[in-house]
Amino acid sequence: MRKSAFLGVTTISAVAAVLALGGPGTARAAAADLSAAFARSSVWTGGYGGGYTITNRGDAAATGWAVEFDLPAGSAVSSSWSSVRTQAGQHYRFTGAGFNSTIAPGGTATFGFNVSGTSLPAVCTVNGVPCDGSGQVTTTPAPPTTTSTPPPAGDVVDVSTAAQLQAALANAAPGQAIRLAAGTYRGSFVTTKAGTAARPIRLSGPANAVLINDGPAGDAPDCPVPTAGWDSGYGLWLFGAPYWTLSGFTVQESKKGIVADNSPHTTIDGVTVHHIDEEAVHFRRSSADSVLKNSTITYTGLVQPGYGEGVYLGSANSNWACHGNSGGVDRGDRIQVLDNHIGPFVAAEPIDVKEGTFDGVIRGNTFDGRGITGENSADSWIDVKGIGYTIEGNTGTFAPPGVFANGYENHNPSTSPSFDNGCGNVWRGNKSDLGGVGAYAIKISSVSKCAARPNVVYASNTVTNARSGLTNIPVTP
């Protein structure tokens, strides 16, 4: 392999110095002494590649590092690796990617980047100390901030390795955009960082940016919470992390796909989830006011078919002891499931709406029922145990293989506290092809249990190839 020529070096230092002001008997505390050397590794027309080698010349470990610099207008970092990158205008900040954040005495860490443009880094600092060692930065590239202030809205963090993604999730701040490069990311990916309504956090990538979790591993807690030494096996886990937007990428070959726990206002848009041991997408622990849209889900329940739902809203009341964080109930209210393609080979229901959840919208989805297994009573496209849902404009089909009783079903489980579970739901404008196997397009399990809040099936629903018909209750014009 031809090695790139070494084209230039700039050195910057951060020295933690202790002066012996008290005479010969004063001891000097051990300290890290970091230097960061920049070098271009390759140059091409209109750009170059380069990076920093950070060396700890001190006698104590450095437990974190941050290299910052400016690029003049007309030049920009186009990609980076082995670091977590944030940006404010022409000012760039790079921190450790987790695996290289700690530098032992005498050790080094490296990161690299490509630049579009020809200008070199300027006004460089490592851990806040200027490159010239003067102790004073001559320019102010970004508005003053304190260490407790999150990065400005619009900051971009580009990642291309699993370690970088883990670090970006662990350090996410409101307004950040984390961008996945194409490639495979294997590991445990979890965040507990919250966005805000005005400054959501965004995680995006192309469809060939693929997240895989080979877990679970370690000793699981009684109820699933992020725990040191335990890997949940979830492809992507938001825990106590509201106001995230997830888009574009793929999750596969994991125990569960995407799980949002106590993470309201989560938006999942245009993702692909497939080949999952259990359910694909789960809004759990009162992750209310969330949206799943424009996404594709196939091949779930590969290990546990009865728990292989495509989309799972809320929790069964038997699990409220763990997930009932709203007055003892998992209140995943007002969740919208819009314009998704779910199936084939979703082993349980494409959508399972659990008791104690209210006022969701399920609209414009396409359900391919091939591969529904019948395990754990999974034998329909949607099982509605929630209250006040609108189910409209969906298209469902069924063909072998699989077990299929009805297109849409409702049930009325008893819970404590008590709700009108399975009542007050509306079906309109749905198209159902039952493949000559299913009985009803819409099967209502009980009229009497919903006398106070009846379910309504409008005449705008249509069905073909049904063994029994459109519905078992009177149709509303």
Side-chain angles (χ1 to χ4, degrees):
M1 178 183 296
R2 183 177 63 86
K3 294 185 178 180
S4 301
F6 178 82
L7 301 175
V9 175
T10 303
T11 301
I12 58 179
S13 297
V15 181
V18 178
L19 299 179
L21 300 176
T26 302
R28 186 188 69 83
D33 178 0
L34 298 184
S35 66
F38 170 72
R40 288 184 298 176
S41 58
S42 57
V43 177
W44 54 88
T45 302
Y48 64 88
Y52 282 90
T53 298
I54 306 164
T55 303
N56 184 2
R57 303 178 299 186
D59 50 10
T63 57
W65 53 265
V67 171
E68 303 185 45
F69 57 78
D70 294 345
L71 284 175
S75 294
V77 174
S78 57
S79 62
S80 57
W81 51 92
S82 299
S83 61
V84 176
R85 180 175 107 228
T86 55
Q87 176 184 352
Q90 293 299 115
H91 184 72
Y92 294 86
R93 186 174 191 265
F94 297 82
T95 57
F99 71 94
N100 62 352
S101 295
T102 299
I103 308 176
T108 62
T110 62
F111 71 94
F113 49 86
N114 291 326
V115 172
S116 174
T118 58
S119 297
L120 300 180
V123 196
C124 305
T125 65
V126 57
N127 285 4
V129 176
C131 58
D132 62 4
S134 67
Q136 181 176 0
V137 180
T138 57
T139 63
T140 304
T145 61
T146 66
T147 56
S148 61
T149 301
D155 281 355
V156 174
V157 181
D158 285 334
V159 301
S160 58
T161 68
Q164 291 173 9
L165 175 56
Q166 289 168 335
L169 294 171
N171 295 291
Q176 280 190 335
I178 303 170
R179 302 190 305 194
L180 297 161
T184 300
Y185 301 75
R186 287 186 180 272
S188 178
F189 304 111
V190 57
T191 187
T192 59
K193 302 300 183 181
T196 67
R199 300 171 67 194
I201 303 171
R202 295 175 172 84
L203 174 64
S204 65
N208 58 349
V210 180
L211 276 57
I212 297 174
N213 189 335
D214 294 313
D219 295 327
D222 292 337
C223 294
V225 297
T227 303
W230 176 60
D231 177 357
S232 66
Y234 304 170
L236 178 62
W237 192 9
L238 310 183
F239 190 94
Y243 292 106
W244 277 71
T245 296
L246 315 175
S247 62
F249 55 89
T250 295
V251 177
Q252 67 185 55
E253 299 172 36
S254 304
K255 179 181 179 180
K256 301 180 188 291
I258 300 172
V259 178
D261 271 328
N262 191 24
S263 298
H265 302 283
T266 295
T267 297
I268 304 174
D269 185 4
V271 303
T272 301
V273 185
H274 66 90
H275 289 88
I276 301 296
D277 293 350
E278 297 177 1
E279 72 267 29
V281 177
H282 196 160
F283 295 100
R284 195 168 65 180
R285 291 191 185 179
S286 304
S287 294
D289 299 296
S290 293
V291 180
L292 171 67
K293 60 183 179 179
N294 305 318
S295 296
T296 301
I297 296 170
T298 58
Y299 290 92
T300 66
L302 300 184
V303 173
Q304 295 204 74
Y307 300 94
E309 295 85 357
V311 184
Y312 202 106
L313 308 183
S315 299
N317 68 93
S318 58
N319 292 321
W320 286 356
C322 276
H323 305 312
N325 60 333
S326 298
V329 182
D330 184 344
R331 290 294 298 268
D333 297 343
R334 299 174 302 279
I335 296 174
Q336 300 181 67
V337 184
L338 311 173
D339 302 313
N340 304 286
H341 192 112
I342 306 176
F345 298 101
V346 170
E349 298 92 349
I351 303 177
D352 196 358
V353 180
K354 305 310 289 188
E355 53 268 28
T357 65
F358 285 75
D359 301 328
V361 176
I362 301 172
R363 178 188 298 130
N365 302 284
T366 299
F367 306 120
D368 184 335
R370 288 176 294 164
I372 295 177
T373 63
E375 295 287 334
N376 200 23
S377 302
D379 54 10
S380 61
W381 298 314
I382 304 181
D383 188 355
V384 184
K385 295 177 282 289
I387 305 101
Y389 278 73
T390 298
I391 303 160
E392 63 182 1
N394 302 289
T395 299
T397 60
F398 177 79
V403 176
F404 193 66
N406 301 285
Y408 303 87
E409 297 180 347
N410 86 314
H411 293 93
N412 311 101
S414 298
T415 58
S416 180
S418 178
F419 299 104
D420 293 329
N421 293 311
C423 300
N425 303 295
V426 173
W427 284 263
R428 66 163 65 92
N430 300 288
K431 298 178 180 180
S432 302
D433 180 349
L434 306 188
V437 177
Y440 291 103
I442 303 161
K443 172 70 180 295
I444 303 302
S445 63
S446 174
V447 173
S448 62
K449 290 181 179 179
C450 296
R453 298 188 66 171
N455 291 293
V456 178
V457 177
Y458 282 99
S460 56
N461 296 287
T462 60
V463 63
T464 57
N465 299 313
R467 290 192 297 107
S468 299
L470 177 62
T471 184
N472 63 321
I473 66 171
V475 172
T476 299

